[in-house]
Amino acid sequence: MLVLTRKANSSIIITNIFDEKGQQLKDIEINVFSDNRIGIEADSSVDIYRSEILELGD
């Protein structure tokens, strides 16, 4: 796991993302807001889940 600390109103960009067919997807942008919210902008084929949702299936 990579842990990054960011100041409020900053962002992280993840690039060079490919799907299972080898097609390059658009960059993922993670925005950090001042009230501890994050915003994630990603290709529609990228699944994004909160960890507690995934734990329900265990």
Side-chain angles (χ1 to χ4, degrees):
M1 175 188 302
L2 172 65
V3 177
L4 302 172
T5 303
R6 303 295 304 153
K7 293 182 179 180
N9 301 314
S10 62
S11 64
I12 298 166
I13 305 292
I14 303 171
T15 61
N16 294 324
I17 305 162
F18 295 86
D19 67 10
E20 63 277 356
K21 296 178 184 174
Q23 299 291 326
Q24 187 166 11
L25 303 175
K26 72 177 190 174
D27 297 346
I28 295 177
E29 180 175 2
I30 303 171
N31 295 297
V32 181
F33 300 103
S34 60
D35 57 357
N36 291 331
R37 293 179 304 138
I38 62 168
I40 302 172
E41 183 177 333
D43 190 87
S44 61
S45 65
V46 175
D47 295 330
I48 301 171
Y49 298 102
R50 297 187 330 243
S51 61
E52 61 269 22
I53 298 298
L54 296 176
E55 291 169 2
L56 291 176
D58 291 344

